[in-house]
Amino acid sequence: MMTREEYIESLRKLNLQVYFMGKKIDNPVDHPVIRPSLNSLAMTYELAQHDEYKELMTAKSHLTGKTINRFCHIHQNTTDLMNKVKMQRLLGQKTASCFQRCVGMDAFNAIYSTTYDMDQELGTEYHKRFVKYLEMVQERDLVVDGAMTDPKGDRNLSPSQQPDPDLYLRIVEVREDGIVVRGAKAHQTGAVNSHEHLIMPTLAMREDDADYAVSFAIESDAPGILMIYGRQSCDTRKMEEGADIDLGNSSFGGHEALVIFDDVFIPNERVFMCREYKYAGVMVERFAGYHRQSYGGCKVGVGDVLIGAAALAADYNGVPKASHIKDKLIEMIHLNETLYACGIACSAEGKPTKSGNYLIDLLLANVCKQNITRFPYEIARLAEDIAGGLMVTMPAEQDLRDEKLGPLVRKYLQGATGTNVENRMRVLRLIENITLGTAAVGYRTESMHGAGSPQAQRIMIQRQGDIEGKKQLAREIAKVDVSLDQKPAGK
Ligand code: SF4
Ligand code: FE
């Protein structure tokens, strides 16, 4: 396994094509806007070497028997699934942001079982190839960006019907030794901090869309790959000289990028699906299931920090004992632990796939994510309620540091008697960061749309919810005699 420092050094060696605000970034590793997201990812390496956390952060590879980072692991049982959620909660607590490495882990597990099923039915050899690739990833302890979401163009049209055929990533050429692909993946979490991209199709495909049914792995600095780094609310605060308090979270963050594939060559040994359109939907469903489970860990960890910050804000406001404040904090904990309960439940109810790895319970994973589309917003609302308006109207750090203005800021921003004004400002800026600033990308909008928008979960809940089975239960209790219905009820 790599140390934190080795990971950072390994990124320096990559020749990434990264753009931000119209300019090419020659050194993404040390860029002030990007660096906090790298620090979050580096935490996945740091904690894996930490005496207190290494047991949770590592696993034994079922391929080699070696100790590996859990982010590179193929889940072998329900304990592995639960440990994944616990690890994500821990990292959310330590970074209060998105630490980006989960998408790769979720892609590994989805592709592992899907390629196995494909090979069984179609006589292909994708699983063997993928296992070999995975061994390399585990051995080198790499960060892999699991990439699913295409730009999708006109949502009313299938991939092959789009006026611009590149709006879904596709195969443009099949050669003897590999394939050439073109298109883009949007919202790619951690792309700039990744050694590799691992591509999956974005939705179930029909025969007409076979060129879009493609899965492969590629080095992130391969020729033809270009990344445009996404803007975040308040991101340029990080470029201000001496910025600290106003960042809210000066050490950690997350990021997304638009990753463009301009005729990229993929050698055969890195191709895991090539036009087997029947399996595109299976891969998508499994990846989405794993990633919906993931949010029951990472968002809960960030929620822990936000609840703590709200409680601190109440302390600095001088109202920690007010009954309505206590009640709001209880409500926040209730909501946050409900999310965690869903993450643990879908893991505990996991089952083995034919390939041997464990898949979460899909209904419960979708219920987990559906709650995630709501509860973080309510937790954020309560945090803002407790914090008060000062979190968005407070003077800047420069004013606090100014010779003339500083004493005025300290005088008028004084909270609970005897407490420190700067500390109060730090806590309020952290709440701003998570609810409105750079971390809100991960805590709010990603909670809504990441791992699939709410409607995607509702479709799965309908499919998996067994309404017919439930009707039968009701018929039996109510002693319904269906032979008396002249026309079958509900038909
Ligand atoms: Fe991991 Fe959460 Fe970030 Fe997704 S949003 S990569 S699950 S930390
Ligand atoms: Fe995500």
Side-chain angles (χ1 to χ4, degrees), residues 350-389:
K351 298 274 175 324
T353 65
K354 285 192 206 135
S355 68
N357 75 338
Y358 269 61
L359 184 65
I360 59 296
D361 181 279
L362 285 174
L363 174 60
L364 294 179
N366 278 279
V367 169
C368 176
K369 173 66 213 313
Q370 184 79 176
N371 285 336
I372 299 274
T373 66
R374 299 171 180 167
F375 295 0
Y377 286 84
E378 183 61 12
I379 295 169
R381 188 183 75 78
L382 290 164
E384 288 180 35
D385 181 347
I386 293 172

Side-chain angles (χ1 to χ4, degrees), residues 88 98-103 189 291 294-295 298-299 446:
Q88 289 166 314
C98 165
F99 36 89
Q100 308 144 58
R101 208 173 169 184
C102 327
V103 275
T189 299
H291 209 51
S294 285
Y295 284 18
C298 78
K299 307 296 179 206
E446 194 182 27

Side-chain angles (χ1 to χ4, degrees), residues 16-20 23-26 28 34 192 227 229:
L16 301 179
Q17 306 299 308
V18 182
Y19 290 79
F20 178 59
K23 291 202 177 70
K24 177 147 191 303
I25 306 294
D26 293 326
I34 301 174
V192 176
M227 298 186 245
Y229 194 88

Side-chain angles (χ1 to χ4, degrees), residues 89-108:
R89 183 172 189 170
L90 171 70
L91 277 153
Q93 291 171 342
K94 296 291 183 195
T95 62
S97 62
C98 165
F99 36 89
Q100 308 144 58
R101 208 173 169 184
C102 327
V103 275
M105 165 176 57
D106 292 341
F108 298 149

Side-chain angles (χ1 to χ4, degrees), residues 71-254:
F71 281 97
C72 300
H73 187 48
I74 296 294
H75 314 302
Q76 297 299 303
N77 44 51
T78 53
T79 306
D80 272 351
L81 288 172
M82 287 189 277
N83 281 340
K84 172 194 159 183
V85 173
K86 290 177 187 176
M87 168 179 79
Q88 289 166 314
R89 183 172 189 170
L90 171 70
L91 277 153
Q93 291 171 342
K94 296 291 183 195
T95 62
S97 62
C98 165
F99 36 89
Q100 308 144 58
R101 208 173 169 184
C102 327
V103 275
M105 165 176 57
D106 292 341
F108 298 149
N109 278 278
I111 296 174
Y112 186 86
S113 63
T114 310
T115 50
Y116 184 91
D117 293 354
M118 283 164 79
D119 289 0
Q120 292 287 303
E121 189 193 327
L122 309 171
T124 46
E125 51 176 45
Y126 295 127
H127 188 68
K128 210 164 53 181
R129 280 183 193 173
F130 184 68
V131 166
K132 204 154 166 242
Y133 172 73
L134 194 62
E135 272 186 49
M136 183 280 289
V137 168
Q138 291 183 344
E139 184 64 32
R140 294 178 54 201
D141 199 10
L142 299 179
V143 176
V144 177
D145 160 36
M148 178 161 278
T149 311
D150 291 276
K152 298 201 192 97
D154 185 336
R155 308 287 166 112
N156 208 23
L157 302 174
S158 73
S160 55
Q161 290 169 340
Q162 298 287 329
D164 180 346
D166 300 339
L167 286 173
Y168 286 75
L169 191 141
R170 66 190 176 119
I171 302 163
V172 288
E173 195 187 339
V174 178
R175 295 187 197 162
E176 188 99 331
D177 53 347
I179 58 174
V180 178
V181 297
R182 187 188 304 157
K185 291 288 180 184
H187 329 298
Q188 285 315 299
T189 299
V192 176
N193 295 329
S194 299
H195 303 100
E196 295 259 333
H197 299 305
L198 180 54
I199 307 307
M200 297 162 284
T202 203
L203 37 76
M205 304 280 175
R206 290 195 293 257
E207 196 171 352
D208 291 348
D209 301 323
D211 283 343
Y212 297 87
V214 62
S215 173
F216 60 86
I218 188 73
E219 297 92 347
S220 48
D221 60 352
I225 295 182
L226 182 152
M227 298 186 245
I228 307 177
Y229 194 88
R231 289 221 63 177
Q232 295 176 332
S233 159
C234 312
D235 50 6
T236 45
R237 282 193 193 184
K238 289 184 267 191
M239 299 207 272
E240 290 165 10
E241 215 184 302
D244 173 18
I245 297 177
D246 283 0
L247 301 182
N249 182 348
S250 59
S251 303
F252 303 106

